Amino acid sequence: MAGAAASLTGTPARARTVALASLIGGQLGQTLVAGRTSWLTVASTALSGVALVALIEAPGVNVFFDCRPLGPVGWAIALSGSAVATGTALVADRLVPGGTEDVRP
């Protein structure tokens, strides 16, 4: 969904990068929801988010991964998509009996 929204505001290459950032951001948010009681999960999720931003924004590195630097609008779209995915995980966690408690060690 983020890629479709980004395609209205920029090039196809930028839209692919927004979609990638949104997808990975959503996965990181869902990981944070599942392991929010572990400081190690919180720290590794934050570090992975920083690495994602660096990968997309760093000249040379982003070319290797075929990403385009995102401006404020691109990041806003990506973060919005990530927030929706994370919010969905939170709601699903409350609706499904047992939630993520069934998968934790």
Coordinates of all heavy atoms in Angstrom, one line a residue:
M1 N 0.8 -1.2 0.0 CA 0.0 0.0 0.0 C 0.9 1.3 0.0 O 0.5 2.2 -0.7 CB -0.9 0.0 1.2 CG -1.9 1.1 1.2 SD -3.2 1.3 2.4 CE -3.8 -0.2 2.7
A2 N 2.0 1.2 0.7 CA 2.9 2.4 0.8 C 3.5 2.6 -0.6 O 3.7 3.8 -1.0 CB 4.0 2.2 1.8
G3 N 3.8 1.6 -1.3 CA 4.4 1.7 -2.6 C 3.4 2.4 -3.6 O 3.8 3.2 -4.4
A4 N 2.2 2.0 -3.5 CA 1.1 2.6 -4.3 C 1.0 4.1 -4.0 O 0.9 5.0 -4.9 CB -0.2 1.9 -4.2
A5 N 1.0 4.4 -2.7 CA 0.9 5.9 -2.3 C 2.1 6.6 -2.8 O 2.0 7.8 -3.2 CB 0.7 6.0 -0.8
A6 N 3.3 6.0 -2.6 CA 4.5 6.7 -3.0 C 4.6 6.9 -4.5 O 5.2 7.9 -5.0 CB 5.7 6.0 -2.5
S7 N 4.0 6.0 -5.3 CA 4.0 6.1 -6.8 C 3.3 7.4 -7.2 O 3.5 7.9 -8.3 CB 3.5 4.9 -7.4 OG 2.1 4.8 -7.2
L8 N 2.4 7.9 -6.4 CA 1.6 9.1 -6.8 C 2.5 10.4 -6.5 O 2.1 11.4 -7.0 CB 0.4 9.2 -5.9 CG -0.6 8.1 -6.1 CD1 -1.8 8.2 -5.2 CD2 -1.1 8.0 -7.6
T9 N 3.6 10.2 -5.7 CA 4.4 11.4 -5.4 C 5.8 11.4 -5.9 O 6.5 12.3 -5.6 CB 4.4 11.6 -3.8 OG1 5.1 10.4 -3.3 CG2 3.0 11.7 -3.2
G10 N 6.1 10.4 -6.7 CA 7.5 10.3 -7.1 C 7.7 9.3 -8.2 O 6.8 8.7 -8.8
T11 N 9.0 8.9 -8.4 CA 9.4 8.0 -9.4 C 9.1 6.5 -9.0 O 9.0 6.3 -7.8 CB 10.9 8.1 -9.8 OG1 11.6 7.7 -8.6 CG2 11.2 9.5 -10.2
P12 N 9.1 5.6 -9.9 CA 8.9 4.2 -9.6 C 10.0 3.7 -8.7 O 9.8 2.9 -7.8 CB 8.9 3.5 -10.9 CG 8.4 4.5 -11.9 CD 9.0 5.8 -11.4
A13 N 11.2 4.1 -8.9 CA 12.4 3.7 -8.1 C 12.2 4.1 -6.6 O 12.5 3.4 -5.7 CB 13.7 4.2 -8.6
R14 N 11.7 5.4 -6.5 CA 11.5 5.9 -5.1 C 10.3 5.1 -4.5 O 10.4 4.8 -3.3 CB 11.2 7.4 -5.2 CG 10.9 8.0 -3.8 CD 10.7 9.5 -4.0 NE 10.0 10.1 -2.9 CZ 8.7 10.1 -2.6 NH1 7.9 9.5 -3.5 NH2 8.2 10.6 -1.6
A15 N 9.3 4.8 -5.2 CA 8.1 4.1 -4.7 C 8.6 2.7 -4.2 O 8.1 2.2 -3.2 CB 7.1 4.0 -5.8
R16 N 9.5 2.0 -5.0 CA 10.0 0.7 -4.5 C 10.7 0.9 -3.2 O 10.6 0.0 -2.3 CB 10.9 0.1 -5.6 CG 10.2 -0.4 -6.8 CD 11.1 -1.2 -7.7 NE 12.3 -0.5 -8.1 CZ 12.4 0.2 -9.2 NH1 11.4 0.3 -10.0 NH2 13.6 0.8 -9.5
T17 N 11.5 1.9 -3.1 CA 12.3 2.1 -1.8 C 11.3 2.4 -0.7 O 11.5 1.9 0.4 CB 13.3 3.3 -2.0 OG1 14.1 3.0 -3.1 CG2 14.1 3.5 -0.7
V18 N 10.3 3.2 -0.9 CA 9.3 3.5 0.1 C 8.6 2.2 0.5 O 8.4 1.9 1.7 CB 8.2 4.5 -0.3 CG1 7.1 4.6 0.6 CG2 8.9 5.9 -0.5
A19 N 8.3 1.3 -0.4 CA 7.6 0.1 -0.1 C 8.5 -0.8 0.7 O 8.1 -1.5 1.6 CB 7.2 -0.6 -1.4
L20 N 9.8 -0.9 0.3 CA 10.8 -1.7 1.1 C 10.9 -1.2 2.5 O 10.9 -2.0 3.5 CB 12.1 -1.6 0.4 CG 13.3 -2.3 1.1 CD1 13.1 -3.8 1.1 CD2 14.6 -1.9 0.6
A21 N 11.0 0.1 2.7 CA 11.1 0.7 4.0 C 9.9 0.4 4.9 O 10.0 0.1 6.1 CB 11.4 2.2 4.0
S22 N 8.7 0.5 4.2 CA 7.5 0.3 4.9 C 7.4 -1.2 5.3 O 6.9 -1.5 6.5 CB 6.3 0.7 4.0 OG 5.1 0.4 4.7
L23 N 7.7 -2.1 4.4 CA 7.6 -3.5 4.7 C 8.6 -3.9 5.9 O 8.2 -4.6 6.8 CB 8.0 -4.3 3.5 CG 8.1 -5.9 3.7 CD1 6.7 -6.4 3.9 CD2 8.7 -6.5 2.5
I24 N 9.8 -3.5 5.8 CA 10.8 -3.8 6.8 C 10.4 -3.1 8.1 O 10.5 -3.7 9.2 CB 12.2 -3.5 6.4 CG1 12.6 -4.4 5.2 CG2 13.2 -3.7 7.5 CD1 13.9 -4.1 4.6
G25 N 10.0 -1.9 8.0 CA 9.5 -1.2 9.2 C 8.4 -1.8 9.9 O 8.3 -1.9 11.2
G26 N 7.4 -2.3 9.1 CA 6.3 -3.1 9.7 C 6.7 -4.4 10.4 O 6.2 -4.7 11.4
Q27 N 7.7 -5.0 9.8 CA 8.2 -6.3 10.4 C 8.9 -6.0 11.7 O 8.8 -6.7 12.7 CB 9.1 -7.0 9.4 CG 8.4 -7.6 8.2 CD 9.3 -8.2 7.2 OE1 10.5 -7.8 7.1 NE2 8.8 -9.1 6.4
L28 N 9.7 -4.9 11.7 CA 10.4 -4.5 12.9 C 9.4 -4.1 14.0 O 9.5 -4.5 15.2 CB 11.3 -3.3 12.7 CG 12.6 -3.7 11.8 CD1 13.4 -2.4 11.5 CD2 13.4 -4.7 12.6
G29 N 8.3 -3.4 13.6 CA 7.3 -3.0 14.6 C 6.6 -4.3 15.1 O 6.3 -4.3 16.4
Q30 N 6.3 -5.2 14.3 CA 5.6 -6.4 14.8 C 6.6 -7.3 15.7 O 6.1 -7.9 16.7 CB 5.2 -7.3 13.6 CG 4.0 -6.6 12.8 CD 3.7 -7.3 11.5 OE1 4.1 -8.4 11.3 NE2 2.9 -6.6 10.7
T31 N 7.8 -7.2 15.4 CA 8.8 -7.9 16.3 C 8.8 -7.2 17.6 O 8.9 -7.9 18.7 CB 10.2 -7.9 15.6 OG1 10.2 -8.6 14.4 CG2 11.3 -8.5 16.5
L32 N 8.8 -5.9 17.6 CA 8.8 -5.1 18.8 C 7.5 -5.4 19.6 O 7.6 -5.6 20.9 CB 8.8 -3.6 18.5 CG 9.1 -2.7 19.7 CD1 10.4 -3.0 20.4 CD2 9.1 -1.3 19.2
V33 N 6.4 -5.6 19.0 CA 5.1 -5.9 19.7 C 5.2 -7.3 20.3 O 4.9 -7.5 21.5 CB 3.9 -5.9 18.7 CG1 2.7 -6.6 19.3 CG2 3.6 -4.5 18.3
A34 N 5.8 -8.3 19.6 CA 5.9 -9.6 20.1 C 6.9 -9.8 21.2 O 6.7 -10.6 22.1 CB 6.3 -10.6 19.0
G35 N 8.0 -9.0 21.2 CA 9.0 -9.1 22.2 C 9.2 -7.9 23.1 O 10.3 -7.6 23.5
R36 N 8.2 -7.1 23.3 CA 8.3 -5.8 23.9 C 8.8 -5.9 25.4 O 9.3 -4.9 25.9 CB 7.1 -5.0 23.8 CG 5.9 -5.6 24.5 CD 4.6 -4.8 24.3 NE 3.4 -5.5 24.7 CZ 2.6 -6.2 23.9 NH1 2.9 -6.1 22.6 NH2 1.6 -6.8 24.3
T37 N 8.8 -7.0 26.0 CA 9.2 -7.1 27.4 C 10.7 -7.4 27.5 O 11.3 -7.4 28.6 CB 8.4 -8.2 28.1 OG1 8.6 -9.5 27.4 CG2 6.9 -7.9 28.2
S38 N 11.3 -7.7 26.3 CA 12.8 -8.0 26.3 C 13.6 -6.8 25.9 O 13.4 -6.3 24.8 CB 13.0 -9.2 25.4 OG 14.4 -9.3 25.1
W39 N 14.5 -6.4 26.7 CA 15.3 -5.2 26.4 C 16.2 -5.5 25.2 O 16.5 -4.6 24.4 CB 16.2 -4.8 27.6 CG 17.3 -5.7 27.9 CD1 17.2 -6.8 28.8 CD2 18.6 -5.8 27.4 NE1 18.4 -7.4 28.9 CE2 19.3 -6.9 28.0 CE3 19.2 -5.0 26.4 CZ2 20.6 -7.2 27.7 CZ3 20.5 -5.3 26.1 CH2 21.2 -6.4 26.7
L40 N 16.6 -6.8 25.0 CA 17.4 -7.2 23.9 C 16.6 -7.0 22.6 O 17.1 -6.6 21.6 CB 17.9 -8.6 24.1 CG 19.0 -9.1 23.1 CD1 20.2 -8.2 23.2 CD2 19.4 -10.5 23.4
T41 N 15.3 -7.4 22.6 CA 14.5 -7.3 21.4 C 14.3 -5.8 21.1 O 14.4 -5.4 19.9 CB 13.1 -7.9 21.6 OG1 13.3 -9.3 21.9 CG2 12.2 -7.8 20.4
V42 N 14.0 -5.0 22.1 CA 13.9 -3.5 21.9 C 15.1 -2.9 21.3 O 15.1 -2.2 20.3 CB 13.4 -2.8 23.2 CG1 13.4 -1.3 23.0 CG2 12.1 -3.4 23.6
A43 N 16.3 -3.3 21.9 CA 17.6 -2.7 21.4 C 17.9 -3.2 20.0 O 18.3 -2.4 19.1 CB 18.7 -3.1 22.3
S44 N 17.7 -4.4 19.7 CA 18.0 -4.9 18.3 C 17.1 -4.4 17.3 O 17.5 -4.1 16.1 CB 18.1 -6.5 18.3 OG 16.8 -7.0 18.6
T45 N 15.8 -4.2 17.7 CA 14.8 -3.6 16.8 C 15.2 -2.1 16.4 O 15.2 -1.7 15.3 CB 13.4 -3.7 17.3 OG1 13.1 -5.0 17.6 CG2 12.4 -3.1 16.4
A46 N 15.6 -1.4 17.4 CA 16.0 0.0 17.2 C 17.3 0.1 16.4 O 17.4 0.9 15.4 CB 16.3 0.7 18.6
L47 N 18.2 -0.8 16.6 CA 19.5 -0.8 15.8 C 19.2 -1.2 14.4 O 19.8 -0.7 13.5 CB 20.5 -1.8 16.5 CG 21.9 -1.8 15.9 CD1 22.5 -0.4 15.9 CD2 22.7 -2.9 16.5
S48 N 18.3 -2.2 14.2 CA 17.9 -2.5 12.8 C 17.2 -1.4 12.1 O 17.4 -1.2 10.9 CB 17.0 -3.8 12.9 OG 17.6 -4.9 13.4
G49 N 16.4 -0.6 12.8 CA 15.8 0.6 12.2 C 16.8 1.6 11.8 O 16.7 2.2 10.7
V50 N 17.8 1.8 12.6 CA 18.9 2.7 12.2 C 19.6 2.2 11.0 O 20.0 3.0 10.1 CB 19.8 3.0 13.5 CG1 21.1 3.7 13.1 CG2 19.1 3.7 14.6
A51 N 19.9 0.9 11.0 CA 20.6 0.3 9.9 C 19.8 0.5 8.6 O 20.4 0.7 7.5 CB 20.9 -1.1 10.1
L52 N 18.5 0.3 8.7 CA 17.6 0.5 7.5 C 17.7 1.9 6.9 O 17.9 2.1 5.7 CB 16.2 0.2 7.8 CG 15.1 0.4 6.8 CD1 15.4 -0.5 5.6 CD2 13.7 0.2 7.3
V53 N 17.6 2.9 7.8 CA 17.8 4.3 7.4 C 19.1 4.5 6.8 O 19.2 5.2 5.7 CB 17.5 5.3 8.6 CG1 17.8 6.7 8.2 CG2 16.1 5.1 9.1
A54 N 20.2 4.0 7.4 CA 21.5 4.2 6.8 C 21.7 3.6 5.5 O 22.2 4.1 4.5 CB 22.6 3.6 7.8
L55 N 21.1 2.4 5.3 CA 21.2 1.7 4.0 C 20.5 2.5 2.9 O 21.0 2.5 1.8 CB 20.5 0.3 4.2 CG 20.5 -0.6 2.9 CD1 20.8 -2.0 3.4 CD2 19.2 -0.5 2.2
I56 N 19.4 3.1 3.3 CA 18.6 3.8 2.2 C 19.2 5.2 2.0 O 19.2 5.6 0.8 CB 17.1 4.0 2.7 CG1 16.5 2.6 2.6 CG2 16.4 5.0 1.8 CD1 15.1 2.6 3.2
E57 N 19.8 5.8 3.0 CA 20.2 7.2 2.8 C 21.7 7.3 2.5 O 22.1 8.4 1.9 CB 19.9 8.0 4.1 CG 18.4 8.2 4.3 CD 17.7 9.0 3.3 OE1 18.3 9.9 2.7 OE2 16.5 8.7 3.0
A58 N 22.5 6.3 2.8 CA 24.0 6.5 2.6 C 24.3 6.4 1.1 O 24.0 5.4 0.4 CB 24.7 5.4 3.3
P59 N 25.0 7.4 0.6 CA 25.4 7.4 -0.8 C 26.4 6.2 -1.1 O 27.2 5.9 -0.3 CB 26.2 8.7 -1.1 CG 25.7 9.6 0.1 CD 25.4 8.6 1.2
G60 N 26.2 5.5 -2.2 CA 27.0 4.4 -2.5 C 26.4 3.1 -2.1 O 26.2 2.2 -2.8
V61 N 26.1 3.0 -0.8 CA 25.4 1.8 -0.2 C 24.0 1.7 -0.8 O 23.6 0.6 -1.2 CB 25.4 1.9 1.3 CG1 24.6 0.7 1.9 CG2 26.7 2.0 1.9
N62 N 23.3 2.8 -0.9 CA 21.9 2.7 -1.4 C 21.9 2.3 -2.9 O 21.0 1.6 -3.4 CB 21.2 4.0 -1.2 CG 21.8 5.2 -1.9 OD1 22.8 5.1 -2.6 ND2 21.2 6.4 -1.6
V63 N 23.0 2.7 -3.6 CA 23.1 2.3 -5.1 C 23.3 0.8 -5.2 O 22.7 0.1 -6.0 CB 24.2 3.1 -5.8 CG1 24.4 2.6 -7.2 CG2 23.9 4.6 -5.8
F64 N 24.1 0.2 -4.3 CA 24.3 -1.2 -4.3 C 23.1 -2.0 -4.1 O 22.8 -3.0 -4.7 CB 25.4 -1.6 -3.2 CG 25.7 -3.0 -3.1 CD1 26.5 -3.6 -4.0 CD2 25.1 -3.8 -2.1 CE1 26.8 -5.0 -4.0 CE2 25.4 -5.2 -2.0 CZ 26.2 -5.7 -3.0
F65 N 22.2 -1.5 -3.2 CA 20.9 -2.1 -2.9 C 19.8 -1.6 -3.8 O 18.6 -2.0 -3.5 CB 20.6 -2.0 -1.4 CG 21.4 -2.8 -0.5 CD1 22.5 -2.2 0.2 CD2 21.2 -4.2 -0.4 CE1 23.3 -2.9 1.0 CE2 22.1 -4.9 0.4 CZ 23.1 -4.3 1.1
D66 N 20.1 -0.8 -4.8 CA 19.1 -0.2 -5.7 C 18.0 0.5 -5.0 O 16.8 0.4 -5.3 CB 18.5 -1.3 -6.6 CG 17.8 -0.7 -7.8 OD1 18.2 0.4 -8.2 OD2 16.8 -1.4 -8.3
C67 N 18.4 1.3 -4.0 CA 17.4 2.1 -3.2 C 17.7 3.6 -3.6 O 18.8 4.0 -4.0 CB 17.6 2.0 -1.7 SG 17.2 0.3 -1.1
R68 N 16.7 4.4 -3.4 CA 16.8 5.8 -3.6 C 16.6 6.6 -2.3 O 15.8 6.2 -1.5 CB 15.7 6.3 -4.6 CG 15.7 5.7 -5.9 CD 17.0 5.9 -6.7 NE 17.1 5.3 -8.0 CZ 17.7 4.1 -8.2 NH1 18.2 3.5 -7.3 NH2 17.7 3.6 -9.4
P69 N 17.4 7.6 -2.0 CA 17.1 8.4 -0.8 C 15.7 8.9 -0.8 O 15.2 9.3 -1.8 CB 18.2 9.5 -0.9 CG 19.2 9.0 -1.8 CD 18.5 8.1 -2.8
L70 N 15.1 8.9 0.4 CA 13.8 9.4 0.6 C 13.7 10.7 1.3 O 14.5 10.9 2.2 CB 12.9 8.4 1.4 CG 12.9 6.9 0.9 CD1 12.1 6.1 1.8 CD2 12.3 6.9 -0.5
G71 N 12.9 11.6 0.8 CA 12.7 12.9 1.4 C 11.7 12.7 2.6 O 11.2 11.6 2.9
P72 N 11.3 13.8 3.1 CA 10.3 13.8 4.2 C 9.0 13.1 3.8 O 8.4 12.4 4.6 CB 10.1 15.3 4.6 CG 11.2 16.0 4.0 CD 11.7 15.2 2.9
V73 N 8.5 13.4 2.6 CA 7.2 12.8 2.2 C 7.4 11.2 2.1 O 6.5 10.5 2.5 CB 6.8 13.4 0.9 CG1 5.5 12.7 0.3 CG2 6.5 14.9 1.1
G74 N 8.5 10.8 1.5 CA 8.7 9.4 1.3 C 8.8 8.7 2.7 O 8.2 7.6 2.9
W75 N 9.5 9.3 3.6 CA 9.7 8.7 5.0 C 8.3 8.7 5.7 O 8.0 7.8 6.4 CB 10.7 9.4 5.8 CG 12.1 8.9 5.4 CD1 13.1 9.6 4.8 CD2 12.6 7.6 5.6 NE1 14.2 8.8 4.7 CE2 13.9 7.6 5.1 CE3 12.1 6.4 6.2 CZ2 14.7 6.4 5.2 CZ3 12.9 5.3 6.2 CH2 14.2 5.3 5.7
A76 N 7.5 9.8 5.5 CA 6.2 9.8 6.1 C 5.3 8.7 5.6 O 4.6 8.1 6.4 CB 5.6 11.2 5.9
I77 N 5.4 8.5 4.3 CA 4.5 7.4 3.8 C 5.0 6.0 4.3 O 4.2 5.2 4.7 CB 4.6 7.4 2.2 CG1 3.9 8.7 1.7 CG2 3.9 6.1 1.7 CD1 4.1 8.9 0.2
A78 N 6.3 5.8 4.3 CA 6.9 4.5 4.8 C 6.6 4.3 6.3 O 6.2 3.2 6.7 CB 8.4 4.5 4.6
L79 N 6.7 5.4 7.1 CA 6.4 5.2 8.5 C 4.9 5.0 8.8 O 4.5 4.3 9.7 CB 6.9 6.5 9.3 CG 8.4 6.6 9.4 CD1 8.9 7.9 10.0 CD2 9.0 5.4 10.2
S80 N 4.1 5.7 8.0 CA 2.6 5.4 8.1 C 2.3 4.0 7.8 O 1.5 3.4 8.5 CB 1.9 6.4 7.2 OG 2.1 7.7 7.5
G81 N 2.8 3.5 6.7 CA 2.6 2.1 6.4 C 3.1 1.1 7.5 O 2.4 0.1 7.9
S82 N 4.3 1.4 8.1 CA 4.8 0.6 9.1 C 3.9 0.7 10.4 O 3.7 -0.3 11.1 CB 6.2 1.1 9.5 OG 7.1 0.9 8.4
A83 N 3.4 1.9 10.7 CA 2.5 2.1 11.8 C 1.2 1.3 11.7 O 0.7 0.7 12.6 CB 2.3 3.6 12.0
V84 N 0.7 1.3 10.5 CA -0.5 0.5 10.2 C -0.3 -1.0 10.5 O -1.1 -1.7 11.1 CB -1.1 0.8 8.8 CG1 -2.2 -0.2 8.4 CG2 -1.6 2.2 8.7
A85 N 0.8 -1.5 9.9 CA 1.1 -2.9 10.1 C 1.4 -3.2 11.6 O 0.9 -4.3 12.1 CB 2.4 -3.3 9.3
T86 N 2.0 -2.4 12.3 CA 2.3 -2.6 13.7 C 1.0 -2.5 14.5 O 0.7 -3.3 15.4 CB 3.3 -1.6 14.3 OG1 4.5 -1.7 13.5 CG2 3.6 -1.8 15.7
G87 N 0.1 -1.5 14.2 CA -1.2 -1.4 14.9 C -2.0 -2.6 14.6 O -2.7 -3.1 15.5
T88 N -2.0 -3.1 13.4 CA -2.7 -4.4 13.1 C -2.3 -5.5 13.9 O -3.1 -6.3 14.4 CB -2.6 -4.7 11.6 OG1 -3.1 -3.6 10.8 CG2 -3.4 -5.9 11.2
A89 N -0.9 -5.6 14.1 CA -0.4 -6.7 15.0 C -0.9 -6.5 16.4 O -1.2 -7.5 17.1 CB 1.1 -6.7 14.9
L90 N -0.9 -5.3 16.9 CA -1.4 -5.0 18.3 C -2.9 -5.4 18.4 O -3.3 -6.1 19.4 CB -1.3 -3.5 18.6 CG 0.1 -3.1 19.1 CD1 0.2 -1.6 19.1 CD2 0.5 -3.7 20.4
V91 N -3.7 -5.1 17.4 CA -5.1 -5.4 17.5 C -5.3 -6.9 17.4 O -6.0 -7.6 18.2 CB -5.9 -4.7 16.4 CG1 -7.3 -5.3 16.2 CG2 -5.9 -3.2 16.6
A92 N -4.6 -7.6 16.5 CA -4.6 -9.0 16.3 C -4.2 -9.7 17.6 O -4.8 -10.8 18.0 CB -3.8 -9.5 15.2
D93 N -3.2 -9.2 18.3 CA -2.7 -9.8 19.5 C -3.8 -9.8 20.6 O -3.9 -10.7 21.4 CB -1.5 -9.0 20.0 CG -0.8 -9.6 21.1 OD1 -0.7 -10.9 21.1 OD2 -0.3 -8.9 22.0
R94 N -4.7 -8.8 20.6 CA -5.7 -8.7 21.6 C -7.0 -9.5 21.2 O -7.7 -10.0 22.0 CB -6.2 -7.2 21.7 CG -5.0 -6.3 22.1 CD -5.3 -5.6 23.3 NE -4.3 -4.5 23.6 CZ -3.0 -4.7 23.9 NH1 -2.5 -5.9 23.9 NH2 -2.2 -3.7 24.3
L95 N -7.2 -9.7 19.9 CA -8.3 -10.5 19.4 C -8.1 -12.0 19.4 O -9.1 -12.7 19.6 CB -8.7 -10.0 18.0 CG -9.2 -8.6 17.8 CD1 -9.5 -8.3 16.3 CD2 -10.5 -8.4 18.6
V96 N -6.9 -12.4 19.2 CA -6.7 -13.9 19.1 C -6.4 -14.4 20.5 O -5.6 -13.9 21.2 CB -5.4 -14.2 18.2 CG1 -5.1 -15.6 18.2 CG2 -5.7 -13.7 16.8
P97 N -7.2 -15.4 20.9 CA -7.0 -16.0 22.2 C -5.6 -16.5 22.4 O -5.0 -17.2 21.6 CB -8.0 -17.1 22.3 CG -9.0 -16.8 21.3 CD -8.3 -16.1 20.2
G98 N -4.9 -16.0 23.5 CA -3.5 -16.4 23.7 C -2.5 -15.5 23.1 O -1.5 -15.3 23.6
G99 N -2.9 -14.8 22.0 CA -2.1 -13.9 21.3 C -0.7 -14.4 21.0 O -0.5 -15.5 20.7
T100 N 0.3 -13.6 21.3 CA 1.7 -14.0 21.1 C 2.2 -14.8 22.3 O 3.4 -15.3 22.2 CB 2.6 -12.7 20.9 OG1 2.5 -11.8 22.0 CG2 2.3 -12.0 19.6
E101 N 1.5 -14.9 23.3 CA 1.9 -15.7 24.5 C 2.1 -17.1 24.1 O 3.0 -17.8 24.7 CB 0.8 -15.6 25.6 CG 0.6 -14.2 26.2 CD 1.8 -13.7 26.8 OE1 2.6 -14.4 27.5 OE2 2.1 -12.4 26.6
D102 N 1.5 -17.6 23.1 CA 1.6 -19.0 22.7 C 3.0 -19.3 22.0 O 3.4 -20.4 21.9 CB 0.5 -19.4 21.7 CG -0.9 -19.4 22.4 OD1 -0.9 -19.5 23.6 OD2 -1.9 -19.3 21.7
V103 N 3.6 -18.3 21.5 CA 4.8 -18.5 20.7 C 6.1 -18.1 21.5 O 7.2 -18.3 21.0 CB 4.8 -17.7 19.4 CG1 3.7 -18.3 18.5 CG2 4.6 -16.2 19.6
R104 N 5.9 -17.5 22.6 CA 7.1 -17.1 23.4 C 7.6 -18.3 24.2 O 6.9 -19.1 24.7 CB 6.7 -16.0 24.4 CG 6.4 -14.7 23.7 CD 6.2 -13.6 24.6 NE 5.7 -12.4 23.9 CZ 4.9 -11.5 24.5 NH1 4.6 -11.5 25.7 NH2 4.5 -10.5 23.7
P105 N 9.0 -18.3 24.3 CA 9.5 -19.4 25.1 C 9.2 -19.3 26.6 O 9.0 -18.3 27.1 CB 11.0 -19.3 24.9 CG 11.3 -18.0 24.3 CD 10.0 -17.5 23.8

